[in-house]
Amino acid sequence: MWRIKRAVIITNNDWVSEKYKGMMNIIFLNSYEEVLVKAKDMAYDGHHLLTHPQASSLKPNQTPYRSVIVYPSDGDDNTSDILLIEKNLEIFYQWQKIAPTPGNYTDGVVRGFKVFDASMMDSIIPRIFHMGTG
C-alpha cells in the first residue's frame, strides 16, 4: 500500500496546491507543460505515475491546469510510466502546434478549469490511498 506522505503532487493549480499541502509533497509550477516535464523527469528519476498525465477527455490544449501524482518506485520497474509520460508530452506538443492553449480565458472559465482539475484529485486521492471520503 502506498503512503500518502511519500507521494508528490506536481501541479500548476493553486487550488490543488493549497488543499493538499501538508498532506502530500507539492511541487508547484507555472504551466501545464512544466507539470508534464517535471513528471517526466521524476519518472526518469525512479517515480511511478499514480495518475494519468492527460486530463480525462480534455485535449492538452483545452485546459491550462494539470495535476499529476507521482510516487517513488523503490527500485521496481517503471518503464511503462516513462513511456506514458513521454507519449503524453509528444501529444501535448502536437496539440500546441495545431491549436495553442488560449491565454485569454475569462475568470469564470479559469475557475472552471481549476475546479475540474481539483475535482479529479479529490476523487482519485481517496481511492489511491484508501482514505475515507467523509
Side-chain angles (χ1 to χ4, degrees):
M1 182 190 307
W2 292 307
R3 294 190 316 254
I4 196 165
K5 288 289 189 184
R6 293 189 66 204
V8 179
I9 296 179
I10 307 165
T11 188
N12 68 324
N13 184 343
D14 58 326
W15 291 16
V16 170
S17 176
E18 284 300 312
K19 181 166 186 174
Y20 291 103
K21 71 179 180 187
M23 181 186 300
M24 301 171 74
N25 298 301
I26 305 289
I27 297 175
F28 185 77
L29 300 168
N30 294 314
S31 70
Y32 189 122
E33 178 183 15
E34 288 177 4
V35 169
L36 294 181
V37 169
K38 185 62 175 177
K40 177 194 69 136
D41 292 346
M42 292 186 78
Y44 274 102
D45 194 36
H47 286 74
H48 283 290
L49 299 173
L50 293 188
T51 58
H52 199 285
Q54 188 173 339
S56 186
S57 61
L58 291 176
K59 293 173 183 72
N61 65 334
Q62 293 177 312
T63 178
Y65 297 100
R66 187 68 190 123
S67 299
V68 176
I69 302 174
V70 299
Y71 196 85
S73 70
D74 293 328
D76 54 329
D77 183 29
N78 72 334
T79 303
S80 62
D81 299 286
I82 291 169
L83 294 173
L84 178 62
I85 191 64
E86 287 282 1
K87 183 65 176 172
N88 275 266
L89 263 167
E90 180 182 315
I91 291 167
F92 171 83
Y93 291 129
Q94 287 172 348
W95 275 105
Q96 291 302 313
K97 285 180 186 174
I98 294 167
T101 305
N104 58 346
Y105 286 123
T106 65
D107 290 346
V109 171
V110 166
R111 199 169 28 259
F113 283 130
K114 285 183 179 188
V115 166
F116 180 77
D117 180 59
S119 68
M120 300 272 292
M121 292 291 103
D122 292 345
S123 69
I124 198 68
I125 287 173
R127 293 178 189 171
I128 292 172
F129 300 104
H130 307 289
M131 299 164 43
T133 56

